[in-house]
Amino acid sequence: MRIALGVTGGVAAYKAAELARRLQQESFEVEVVMTRGAGEFIRPLTFAAITGNKVITGMFGAPEAGPANVESAIEHIAVAQRIDLLLIAPATADILAKLAAGIADDFLTTLYLATKAPVVIAPAMNVNMWEHAATQENLGRLRARGVRVVDPDEGYLACGMTGAGRLAGHESILAAVRATLNPRRDLEDETVLVTAGPTCEDIDPVRFLTNRSSGRMGYALAEAALARGASVVLVSGPTALTPPARAQFVAVRSAEDMSRAVHKHLDPATIVVMAAAVADYRPAMQHPHKVKRGTPHQTLDLEMTPDILTETGRHKKNRIVVGFAAETERLADHARRKLKAKPVDLIVANDVTKRGAGFDVDTNVVSFFARDGAERDLPRLTKREVADQIFDEVLRLKSTFKKAHGRANAGQA
Ligand code: PMT
């Protein structure tokens, strides 16, 4: 299989040489495409020596090779057609912005537009650039188009700062390449209903109660289910994320809206995963006008919202229902209690005070508590990896329940 490895201009560009070697070792034919910026960090000769292939450094052939000819001018189309995958590692903030906007001003960006092959990108940059709303918006747009993003690692960065932005390890990038080239289609017969994001409970026309959920966990679940062939309905509270293009997207605001949307779309669902951070309480009354400053003390009277997970579990039928548990202490005790109290098959518990877990980060640290008694702690993984693990567990539970059902029927006969 043939991979185009796009290398862009960041300090991590040198790591792409080892990545090219690892891809070669896995029997991929590697063609390297370097941006002008990449050439400031590493020489094309390095990649040519590793891959045994010509390295593409510009749109119209190397300037030293003389005037451009027709062959070099349309080479991006030829490369676009012959590759099985486009991998961009490291991907700078600049290339993410260009890809998101559809700008095609060099070979690599033109190749991205011209190819129908799947695309994997592994960003690497300064932590502030990574966390910038513009970068996150661009990543959201790319993810929504089906681009697989291998999130950067956290650690000491070349700029002297510490945080997220270090190019992911070669193993993670290679795993994403393998998974993209050999996609599992084991959810092809499933319709997955996912809830994501926070809810907003209005106090008056300008104020509301909400929480820190970014929606990333739920959107990663939707992306993973789509990649594995499922039909997906994504019911989401307000977030800054772009929903995956192939999901049926239902935007909601309050717990009440979310409850209505879940009930409306529940019937065809064979798997329900509730990752949303739903408000447990809402203002008992909404003021029609802005509440004015005046009295030194104000009391907000709250009432309970519908428990969507419990209601869904009550109409469970044969579907698998997964709930989350966001905890800040005694994770296992609380998760086991939730599993007992609610008619669900699996609780995915996360301690949201742990570093790299819970709200508004790209990774999560979760534990599974399953209806059949199985319990498992997972290491810190990207939310996309957690999502895949959840669906693996759902499929395991499905087959366990099916076998148990078969035995019960045989016993009756
Ligand atoms: O969105 P991110 O920034 O990526 O953050 C991810 C996350 C922390 C939101 C996610 O991993 C998570 O833990 N989601 C569940 C948050 C939550 O509300 O947990 P809980 O323990 O309060 O609720 C338990 C379960 O009941 C959840 O599945 C929740 O969706 C559901 N619930 C809660 C209240 C309610 N009124 N109705 C519900 O259905």
Side-chain angles (χ1 to χ4, degrees), residues 22-23 47 59 104 142 150 163 270 273 316 320 349 387 398 404 410:
R22 294 288 304 275
L23 288 165
F47 292 111
M59 194 67 188
L142 293 170
V150 188
T270 54
V273 189
K316 201 172 149 329
I320 298 280
K398 264 200 149 192

Side-chain angles (χ1 to χ4, degrees), residues 8-203:
T8 67
V11 181
Y14 77 94
K15 295 183 181 173
E18 173 63 10
L19 188 59
R21 197 183 64 79
R22 294 288 304 275
L23 288 165
Q24 291 271 125
Q25 275 176 346
E26 297 215 5
S27 303
F28 292 112
E29 189 66 35
V30 182
E31 286 186 77
V32 175
V33 179
M34 292 174 67
T35 60
R36 189 193 291 264
E40 301 292 330
F41 292 91
I42 187 165
R43 310 303 302 162
L45 193 59
T46 308
F47 292 111
I50 290 170
T51 63
N53 285 324
K54 184 182 80 175
V55 174
I56 299 168
T57 54
M59 194 67 188
F60 303 106
E64 62 273 18
N69 54 32
V70 174
E71 206 178 289
S72 61
I74 58 165
E75 195 175 5
H76 60 282
I77 302 294
V79 177
Q81 285 172 348
R82 68 175 174 249
I83 58 173
D84 298 292
L85 183 131
L86 169 60
L87 167 65
I88 305 181
T92 56
D94 178 62
I95 195 87
L96 299 181
K98 284 181 176 165
L99 300 182
I103 292 170
D105 64 352
D106 66 3
F107 197 101
L108 186 56
T109 48
T110 311
L111 177 62
Y112 166 73
L113 288 188
T115 192
K116 292 248 183 270
V119 181
V120 176
I121 53 178
M125 64 196 74
N126 158 274
V127 59
N128 291 345
M129 293 172 78
W130 170 250
E131 287 174 355
H132 198 284
T135 302
Q136 290 302 321
E137 263 174 52
N138 290 331
L139 279 163
R141 287 166 76 183
L142 293 170
R143 279 197 177 102
R145 278 182 215 148
V147 170
R148 192 173 190 129
V149 180
V150 188
D151 287 325
D153 287 341
E154 278 187 25
Y156 182 76
L157 305 172
C159 56
M161 294 175 76
T162 303
R166 210 164 60 179
L167 183 69
H170 292 139
E171 276 317 319
S172 304
I173 299 173
L174 290 169
V177 165
R178 283 184 221 114
T180 307
L181 286 171
N182 303 302
R184 285 184 286 174
R185 306 294 291 175
D186 49 4
L187 295 177
E188 220 149 35
D189 299 330
E190 312 290 349
T191 299
V192 179
L193 174 60
V194 177
T195 68
T199 64
C200 297
E201 312 298 331
D202 292 331
I203 298 168

Side-chain angles (χ1 to χ4, degrees), residues 213-215 217 274-276 280 306 308-309 324 326 338 350 360 383:
S213 171
S214 64
M217 189 64 248
M274 299 212 161
D280 284 315
I308 310 169
L309 183 59
F324 269 68
K338 269 184 186 139
N350 45 186
D360 207 12
K383 284 185 173 166

Side-chain angles (χ1 to χ4, degrees), residues 260-280:
R260 252 183 266 127
V262 166
H263 286 124
K264 187 170 167 200
H265 293 91
L266 188 60
D267 210 31
T270 54
I271 299 169
V272 180
V273 189
M274 299 212 161
V278 188
D280 284 315

Side-chain angles (χ1 to χ4, degrees), residues 195-198 211-219 239 241 255 258 273-281 304-312 322-327 338 342 347-352 357-364 366 383:
T195 68
N211 59 64
R212 292 173 47 215
S213 171
S214 64
R216 290 189 213 182
M217 189 64 248
Y219 282 54
T239 76
L241 305 177
M258 188 170 275
V273 189
M274 299 212 161
V278 188
D280 284 315
Y281 291 92
M304 245 189 198
T305 55
D307 183 337
I308 310 169
L309 183 59
T310 301
E311 287 171 2
T312 305
V322 180
F324 269 68
E327 306 297 343
K338 269 184 186 139
K342 294 176 190 258
I347 288 287
V348 178
N350 45 186
D351 180 341
V352 295
F359 295 110
D360 207 12
V361 284
D362 296 318
T363 52
N364 209 350
V366 304
K383 284 185 173 166

